[in-house]
């Protein structure tokens, strides 16, 4: 039972109208907050991406050094997704720079996608892989669809077809392996070349 003074107030029409308005405003506010929360959650889900990584980095860089503190490899990517259970990371549009022990320009490698297995320090690049290698005053370009960088061994290799373009000609082969420090490139099989003679 409502006490007398309170009962008199509740019976007044303006009090009921004010209470109703307050209830409607509270309901609208709660609904607006809920929609905003859904929007924020939706934006976060969109930013996280469909693969649902444990973490991701925007404009990330992965860098390694040798035991003497010299730079060995640096890879940048607009987006890196990390999966902790497998110690695995994927990269969009990676761009790598591979350094040798000699004071020579680094190899520049670009691809559509990449993945990094952190346990064995290997990077696999796939899709429109392009390697730029400066040798003296000339530049050589290697193109393939898949390439693995073994950072521990200092090697770069693939079993896919490769096309090497140099100022004096074009060489094609199936598969190759390169030793970065030694600056040696070994072609595996079906090697064909077209060369221009110097006059």
């Amino acid at each position: 039972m409502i006490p007398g003074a309170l009962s008199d107030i509740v019976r007044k029409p303006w009090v009921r109208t004010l209470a109703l308005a307050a209830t409607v405003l509270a309901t609208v506010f709660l609904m607006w907050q809920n929609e905003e929360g859904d929007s924020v959650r939706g934006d976060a889900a969109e930013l996280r991406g469909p693969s649902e990584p444990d973490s991701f980095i925007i404009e990330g860089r992965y860098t390694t050094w040798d035991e003497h503190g010299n730079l060995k490899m640096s890879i940048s990517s607009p987006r890196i997704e990390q999966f902790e259970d497998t110690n695995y990371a994927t990269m969009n549009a990676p761009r790598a720079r591979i350094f040798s022990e000699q004071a020579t320009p680094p190899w520049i490698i670009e691809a559509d996608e990449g993945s990094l297995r952190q346990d064995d320090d290997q990077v696999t690049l796939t899709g429109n892989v392009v390697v730029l290698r400066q040798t003296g005053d000339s530049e050589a370009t290697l193109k393939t669809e898949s390439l693995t960088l073994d950072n521990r061994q200092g090697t770069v290799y693939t079993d896919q077809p490769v096309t090497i373009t140099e100022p004096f000609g074009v060489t094609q082969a199936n598969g190759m392996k390169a030793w970065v420090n030694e600056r040696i490139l070994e072609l595996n099989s079906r090697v064909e070349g077209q060369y221009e003679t110097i006059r």
Side-chain angles (χ1 to χ4, degrees), residues 40-80:
V40 169
R41 283 190 292 276
D43 290 346
E46 184 179 329
L47 188 60
R48 186 176 186 126
S51 57
E52 297 187 2
D54 295 306
S55 60
F56 63 90
I57 302 166
I58 303 299
E59 299 299 334
R61 183 178 299 276
Y62 174 78
T63 306
T64 61
W65 292 266
D66 65 16
E67 61 274 8
H68 304 294
N70 300 314
L71 190 59
K72 282 182 73 175
M73 178 174 68
S74 177
I75 301 177
S76 59
S77 169
R79 181 181 174 92
I80 301 174

Side-chain angles (χ1 to χ4, degrees), residues 4-68:
L6 186 56
S7 176
D8 290 342
I9 292 173
V10 170
R11 286 190 186 124
K12 294 184 179 178
W14 68 271
V15 173
R16 287 195 306 263
T17 304
L18 185 61
L20 181 61
T23 304
V24 169
L25 283 174
T27 304
V28 168
F29 176 76
L30 290 173
M31 288 175 62
W32 176 72
Q33 285 291 93
N34 189 37
E35 285 176 9
E36 187 178 75
D38 289 343
S39 173
V40 169
R41 283 190 292 276
D43 290 346
E46 184 179 329
L47 188 60
R48 186 176 186 126
S51 57
E52 297 187 2
D54 295 306
S55 60
F56 63 90
I57 302 166
I58 303 299
E59 299 299 334
R61 183 178 299 276
Y62 174 78
T63 306
T64 61
W65 292 266
D66 65 16
E67 61 274 8
H68 304 294

Side-chain angles (χ1 to χ4, degrees), residues 69 90 95 109 131 169 171 179 189 194:
T90 60
R95 186 175 196 273
I109 308 176
V131 181
T171 306
W179 289 263
S189 63
Q194 297 176 351

